[in-house]
Amino acid sequence: MLPLDEIRTLLREHDDPHHRERPRDFDPETAVRRFGLLTGALGRRFGPSTRAGLYQDSSACARFSVPADGTRPVGGLWVELSNFGGFVTAGTGAHWSADSAAGLGGEFVTWLDEVCTAAGCVLVPLDVLLEPYDGPTRTLVDEDRIFVETLAALGHDGEDGEDEDGQDEDGQDGDMRAVWADRYFDYV
């Protein structure tokens, strides 16, 4: 796996606020090839229960899922391919949570990194993608935050444990803070 600082640099280099869904130089043939290679590798490893689907109106290209059973992680396994940089991430159970990242075994991560390298992709640990996003591109989280701020300006009082500033009881922004996963693996 690439060093984390190098991965962070790649995330920043591919961030273009004028191209939210896919990069200016997006190559559909390369995306199809990567999708096929990942689908084939996951299918060989996990068998016919592996499911693959393409995204639309998203910065993510595809999602692969393997349901849970006695031989797989609790909650199942998912792998996603971004339209940007050939970025790939993976987790178990819930989508984009710290627990999802913790559920992956080292042997699987090593295997997936080798598959990604062979497919011309870059495996990005979910932990890195859960770091606060500070790039120039507006995400759906940013749009949600603007909506909440507009409601607050109109006199709407906070709900669900949040105060008027959209912060929870601990003074955190809760779900109103974008992470790198929002930039490269979410709807636009």
Side-chain angles (χ1 to χ4, degrees):
M1 184 177 310
L2 293 174
L4 297 183
D5 287 342
E6 192 171 331
I7 291 171
R8 288 180 183 101
T9 298
L10 287 172
L11 291 173
R12 291 187 192 303
E13 286 176 359
H14 285 87
D15 196 359
D16 179 353
H18 302 293
H19 297 90
R20 291 173 58 184
E21 186 174 349
R22 57 186 163 267
R24 173 181 53 249
D25 59 350
F26 181 75
D27 180 3
E29 290 177 14
T30 298
V32 167
R33 183 182 60 76
R34 288 173 174 159
F35 176 77
L37 291 170
L38 288 169
T39 301
L42 288 162
R44 283 187 297 280
R45 181 170 177 123
F46 295 109
S49 65
T50 302
R51 301 284 181 252
L54 298 172
Y55 279 106
Q56 196 171 15
D57 301 324
S58 173
S59 56
C61 176
R63 180 178 176 99
F64 310 88
S65 58
V66 180
D69 72 11
T71 63
R72 297 194 185 88
V74 175
L77 168 73
W78 53 265
V79 177
E80 289 187 344
L81 169 65
S82 177
N83 287 326
F84 290 83
F87 300 140
V88 172
T89 195
T92 60
H95 196 210
W96 300 353
S97 73
D99 291 340
S100 311
L104 297 175
E107 184 272 331
F108 173 77
V109 171
T110 299
W111 174 84
L112 183 58
D113 184 51
E114 291 170 0
V115 168
C116 288
T117 300
C121 298
V122 175
L123 180 59
V124 181
L126 189 55
D127 294 343
V128 172
L129 291 172
L130 293 175
E131 293 173 358
Y133 174 71
D134 58 358
T137 304
R138 183 182 272 179
T139 68
L140 285 181
V141 174
D142 298 317
E143 292 173 9
D144 288 347
R145 186 176 52 250
I146 291 168
F147 178 71
V148 169
E149 290 168 356
T150 301
L151 287 177
L154 295 172
H156 174 73
D157 56 354
E159 293 181 0
D160 299 329
E162 293 181 351
D163 62 19
E164 296 82 26
D165 296 328
Q167 295 182 342
D168 61 24
E169 292 102 12
D170 299 325
Q172 301 296 314
D173 286 336
D175 290 341
M176 294 287 119
R177 172 167 279 145
V179 295
W180 282 95
D182 294 312
R183 172 61 185 103
Y184 290 118
F185 295 92
D186 201 3
Y187 292 98
V188 294

Short mmCIF file of all heavy atoms in Angstrom, two decimals, residues 118-153:
data_model
loop_
_atom_site.label_atom_id
_atom_site.label_comp_id
_atom_site.label_asym_id
_atom_site.label_seq_id
_atom_site.Cartn_x
_atom_site.Cartn_y
_atom_site.Cartn_z
N ALA A 118 -2.83 -4.26 -9.58
CA ALA A 118 -2.92 -4.93 -10.87
C ALA A 118 -3.98 -4.29 -11.77
O ALA A 118 -3.83 -4.28 -13.00
CB ALA A 118 -3.25 -6.42 -10.68
N ALA A 119 -5.02 -3.71 -11.17
CA ALA A 119 -6.10 -3.06 -11.94
C ALA A 119 -5.81 -1.59 -12.22
O ALA A 119 -6.65 -0.91 -12.82
CB ALA A 119 -7.42 -3.21 -11.18
N GLY A 120 -4.66 -1.09 -11.77
CA GLY A 120 -4.34 0.33 -11.96
C GLY A 120 -5.09 1.23 -11.01
O GLY A 120 -5.36 2.39 -11.31
N CYS A 121 -5.43 0.70 -9.84
CA CYS A 121 -6.17 1.45 -8.83
C CYS A 121 -5.28 1.73 -7.62
O CYS A 121 -4.21 1.16 -7.48
CB CYS A 121 -7.40 0.66 -8.39
SG CYS A 121 -8.57 0.32 -9.70
N VAL A 122 -5.79 2.58 -6.75
CA VAL A 122 -5.09 2.93 -5.51
C VAL A 122 -6.02 2.60 -4.35
O VAL A 122 -7.11 3.18 -4.25
CB VAL A 122 -4.72 4.43 -5.46
CG1 VAL A 122 -4.10 4.79 -4.13
CG2 VAL A 122 -3.79 4.78 -6.62
N LEU A 123 -5.62 1.68 -3.49
CA LEU A 123 -6.41 1.36 -2.30
C LEU A 123 -6.23 2.49 -1.30
O LEU A 123 -5.11 2.84 -0.92
CB LEU A 123 -5.97 0.04 -1.69
CG LEU A 123 -6.74 -0.39 -0.44
CD1 LEU A 123 -8.23 -0.55 -0.74
CD2 LEU A 123 -6.16 -1.69 0.10
N VAL A 124 -7.35 3.08 -0.90
CA VAL A 124 -7.35 4.18 0.08
C VAL A 124 -8.02 3.66 1.34
O VAL A 124 -9.21 3.33 1.32
CB VAL A 124 -8.11 5.41 -0.45
CG1 VAL A 124 -8.07 6.54 0.56
CG2 VAL A 124 -7.54 5.87 -1.79
N PRO A 125 -7.27 3.56 2.44
CA PRO A 125 -7.88 3.07 3.68
C PRO A 125 -9.06 3.96 4.08
O PRO A 125 -9.01 5.19 3.97
CB PRO A 125 -6.75 3.17 4.70
CG PRO A 125 -5.49 3.23 3.90
CD PRO A 125 -5.86 3.90 2.61
N LEU A 126 -10.10 3.32 4.55
CA LEU A 126 -11.29 4.05 4.97
C LEU A 126 -10.96 5.06 6.06
O LEU A 126 -11.55 6.14 6.11
CB LEU A 126 -12.36 3.07 5.44
CG LEU A 126 -13.74 3.63 5.71
CD1 LEU A 126 -14.29 4.38 4.51
CD2 LEU A 126 -14.69 2.52 6.10
N ASP A 127 -9.99 4.75 6.92
CA ASP A 127 -9.60 5.70 7.96
C ASP A 127 -9.18 7.04 7.36
O ASP A 127 -9.49 8.10 7.91
CB ASP A 127 -8.44 5.14 8.80
CG ASP A 127 -8.83 3.92 9.60
OD1 ASP A 127 -10.04 3.68 9.77
OD2 ASP A 127 -7.93 3.20 10.05
N VAL A 128 -8.47 7.01 6.23
CA VAL A 128 -8.05 8.25 5.57
C VAL A 128 -9.27 8.97 4.99
O VAL A 128 -9.40 10.19 5.10
CB VAL A 128 -7.00 7.96 4.47
CG1 VAL A 128 -6.70 9.20 3.65
CG2 VAL A 128 -5.72 7.41 5.09
N LEU A 129 -10.19 8.21 4.40
CA LEU A 129 -11.38 8.82 3.82
C LEU A 129 -12.34 9.39 4.87
O LEU A 129 -13.20 10.20 4.54
CB LEU A 129 -12.12 7.81 2.95
CG LEU A 129 -11.39 7.42 1.67
CD1 LEU A 129 -12.11 6.27 0.98
CD2 LEU A 129 -11.25 8.60 0.73
N LEU A 130 -12.18 8.99 6.12
CA LEU A 130 -13.03 9.52 7.19
C LEU A 130 -12.42 10.76 7.84
O LEU A 130 -13.02 11.34 8.75
CB LEU A 130 -13.30 8.44 8.23
CG LEU A 130 -14.17 7.28 7.72
CD1 LEU A 130 -14.29 6.19 8.78
CD2 LEU A 130 -15.54 7.77 7.30
N GLU A 131 -11.26 11.20 7.35
CA GLU A 131 -10.66 12.44 7.85
C GLU A 131 -11.45 13.62 7.31
O GLU A 131 -12.02 13.55 6.21
CB GLU A 131 -9.20 12.54 7.42
CG GLU A 131 -8.32 11.48 8.06
CD GLU A 131 -6.90 11.45 7.52
OE1 GLU A 131 -6.56 12.24 6.60
OE2 GLU A 131 -6.11 10.62 8.02
N PRO A 132 -11.52 14.73 8.06
CA PRO A 132 -12.29 15.89 7.59
C PRO A 132 -11.84 16.36 6.21
O PRO A 132 -10.64 16.45 5.93
CB PRO A 132 -12.00 16.96 8.65
CG PRO A 132 -11.62 16.19 9.87
CD PRO A 132 -10.92 14.96 9.37
N TYR A 133 -12.81 16.62 5.37
CA TYR A 133 -12.54 17.10 4.01
C TYR A 133 -12.32 18.61 4.06
O TYR A 133 -13.14 19.35 4.60
CB TYR A 133 -13.72 16.77 3.09
CG TYR A 133 -13.59 17.36 1.72
CD1 TYR A 133 -12.65 16.85 0.83
CD2 TYR A 133 -14.37 18.42 1.32
CE1 TYR A 133 -12.50 17.40 -0.43
CE2 TYR A 133 -14.23 18.98 0.06
CZ TYR A 133 -13.30 18.47 -0.82
OH TYR A 133 -13.15 19.00 -2.06
N ASP A 134 -11.22 19.05 3.47
CA ASP A 134 -10.92 20.48 3.47
C ASP A 134 -10.60 20.97 2.06
O ASP A 134 -9.93 21.99 1.89
CB ASP A 134 -9.77 20.79 4.43
CG ASP A 134 -8.49 20.03 4.10
OD1 ASP A 134 -8.50 19.22 3.14
OD2 ASP A 134 -7.49 20.24 4.79
N GLY A 135 -11.09 20.26 1.07
CA GLY A 135 -10.82 20.63 -0.32
C GLY A 135 -11.81 21.66 -0.83
O GLY A 135 -12.73 22.09 -0.13
N PRO A 136 -11.65 22.05 -2.11
CA PRO A 136 -12.44 23.14 -2.69
C PRO A 136 -13.81 22.75 -3.25
O PRO A 136 -14.60 23.61 -3.60
CB PRO A 136 -11.54 23.63 -3.84
CG PRO A 136 -10.83 22.39 -4.29
CD PRO A 136 -10.59 21.61 -3.02
N THR A 137 -14.11 21.45 -3.32
CA THR A 137 -15.33 21.00 -3.98
C THR A 137 -16.49 20.92 -2.99
O THR A 137 -16.35 20.34 -1.92
CB THR A 137 -15.10 19.62 -4.63
OG1 THR A 137 -13.99 19.72 -5.52
CG2 THR A 137 -16.33 19.17 -5.40
N ARG A 138 -17.62 21.47 -3.38
CA ARG A 138 -18.81 21.40 -2.53
C ARG A 138 -19.35 19.97 -2.57
O ARG A 138 -19.49 19.38 -3.62
CB ARG A 138 -19.86 22.37 -3.02
CG ARG A 138 -21.10 22.39 -2.12
CD ARG A 138 -22.14 23.32 -2.63
NE ARG A 138 -21.86 24.63 -2.07
CZ ARG A 138 -22.59 25.70 -2.33
NH1 ARG A 138 -23.60 25.64 -3.17
NH2 ARG A 138 -22.31 26.84 -1.77
N THR A 139 -19.66 19.43 -1.39
CA THR A 139 -20.22 18.09 -1.29
C THR A 139 -21.69 18.19 -0.89
O THR A 139 -22.18 19.27 -0.53
CB THR A 139 -19.47 17.26 -0.23
OG1 THR A 139 -19.73 17.82 1.06
CG2 THR A 139 -17.97 17.22 -0.50
N LEU A 140 -22.39 17.06 -0.91
CA LEU A 140 -23.78 17.06 -0.45
C LEU A 140 -23.87 17.46 1.02
O LEU A 140 -24.84 18.08 1.43
CB LEU A 140 -24.41 15.68 -0.65
CG LEU A 140 -24.79 15.31 -2.07
CD1 LEU A 140 -25.43 13.93 -2.11
CD2 LEU A 140 -25.73 16.33 -2.68
N VAL A 141 -22.87 17.11 1.81
CA VAL A 141 -22.85 17.51 3.22
C VAL A 141 -22.82 19.03 3.33
O VAL A 141 -23.52 19.62 4.15
CB VAL A 141 -21.66 16.87 3.97
CG1 VAL A 141 -21.55 17.39 5.38
CG2 VAL A 141 -21.80 15.36 3.97
N ASP A 142 -22.02 19.68 2.48
CA ASP A 142 -21.96 21.14 2.48
C ASP A 142 -23.32 21.73 2.12
O ASP A 142 -23.77 22.70 2.73
CB ASP A 142 -20.91 21.64 1.48
CG ASP A 142 -19.52 21.19 1.84
OD1 ASP A 142 -19.15 21.24 3.03
OD2 ASP A 142 -18.78 20.77 0.92
N GLU A 143 -23.97 21.14 1.14
CA GLU A 143 -25.29 21.63 0.74
C GLU A 143 -26.30 21.43 1.86
O GLU A 143 -27.14 22.29 2.11
CB GLU A 143 -25.72 20.95 -0.56
CG GLU A 143 -24.85 21.39 -1.73
CD GLU A 143 -25.12 20.63 -3.02
OE1 GLU A 143 -26.09 19.85 -3.08
OE2 GLU A 143 -24.34 20.82 -3.97
N ASP A 144 -26.22 20.30 2.56
CA ASP A 144 -27.10 20.07 3.71
C ASP A 144 -26.84 21.09 4.81
O ASP A 144 -27.78 21.62 5.42
CB ASP A 144 -26.91 18.66 4.28
CG ASP A 144 -27.46 17.58 3.38
OD1 ASP A 144 -28.22 17.90 2.43
OD2 ASP A 144 -27.13 16.40 3.61
N ARG A 145 -25.56 21.38 5.06
CA ARG A 145 -25.21 22.34 6.11
C ARG A 145 -25.76 23.72 5.75
O ARG A 145 -26.31 24.42 6.60
CB ARG A 145 -23.69 22.39 6.30
CG ARG A 145 -23.28 23.27 7.47
CD ARG A 145 -21.78 23.27 7.76
NE ARG A 145 -20.99 23.57 6.57
CZ ARG A 145 -20.23 22.70 5.91
NH1 ARG A 145 -20.14 21.45 6.30
NH2 ARG A 145 -19.55 23.07 4.85
N ILE A 146 -25.65 24.13 4.49
CA ILE A 146 -26.18 25.43 4.06
C ILE A 146 -27.69 25.46 4.26
O ILE A 146 -28.24 26.46 4.72
CB ILE A 146 -25.79 25.70 2.59
CG1 ILE A 146 -24.28 25.94 2.50
CG2 ILE A 146 -26.57 26.87 2.02
CD1 ILE A 146 -23.74 25.92 1.08
N PHE A 147 -28.37 24.36 3.96
CA PHE A 147 -29.81 24.28 4.15
C PHE A 147 -30.17 24.45 5.63
O PHE A 147 -31.06 25.22 5.98
CB PHE A 147 -30.34 22.95 3.61
CG PHE A 147 -31.81 22.75 3.79
CD1 PHE A 147 -32.72 23.48 3.05
CD2 PHE A 147 -32.29 21.84 4.72
CE1 PHE A 147 -34.08 23.30 3.22
CE2 PHE A 147 -33.64 21.65 4.90
CZ PHE A 147 -34.55 22.39 4.15
N VAL A 148 -29.45 23.74 6.51
CA VAL A 148 -29.70 23.84 7.95
C VAL A 148 -29.43 25.27 8.44
O VAL A 148 -30.20 25.82 9.23
CB VAL A 148 -28.85 22.81 8.72
CG1 VAL A 148 -28.87 23.07 10.22
CG2 VAL A 148 -29.34 21.40 8.43
N GLU A 149 -28.36 25.88 7.97
CA GLU A 149 -28.04 27.25 8.36
C GLU A 149 -29.12 28.22 7.89
O GLU A 149 -29.48 29.16 8.60
CB GLU A 149 -26.67 27.66 7.81
CG GLU A 149 -25.53 26.94 8.50
CD GLU A 149 -24.18 27.11 7.78
OE1 GLU A 149 -24.14 27.73 6.69
OE2 GLU A 149 -23.18 26.60 8.33
N THR A 150 -29.66 27.97 6.70
CA THR A 150 -30.74 28.82 6.19
C THR A 150 -31.98 28.68 7.05
O THR A 150 -32.63 29.67 7.40
CB THR A 150 -31.06 28.46 4.72
OG1 THR A 150 -29.88 28.64 3.93
CG2 THR A 150 -32.18 29.32 4.16
N LEU A 151 -32.31 27.43 7.41
CA LEU A 151 -33.46 27.21 8.30
C LEU A 151 -33.25 27.90 9.64
O LEU A 151 -34.18 28.52 10.18
CB LEU A 151 -33.69 25.71 8.52
CG LEU A 151 -34.29 24.93 7.37
CD1 LEU A 151 -34.40 23.46 7.73
CD2 LEU A 151 -35.63 25.49 6.95
N ALA A 152 -32.04 27.82 10.18
CA ALA A 152 -31.74 28.47 11.46
C ALA A 152 -31.89 29.98 11.34
O ALA A 152 -32.42 30.64 12.25
CB ALA A 152 -30.34 28.10 11.93
N ALA A 153 -31.46 30.54 10.23
CA ALA A 153 -31.58 31.99 10.02
C ALA A 153 -33.04 32.41 9.92
O ALA A 153 -33.39 33.54 10.27
CB ALA A 153 -30.82 32.40 8.76
#
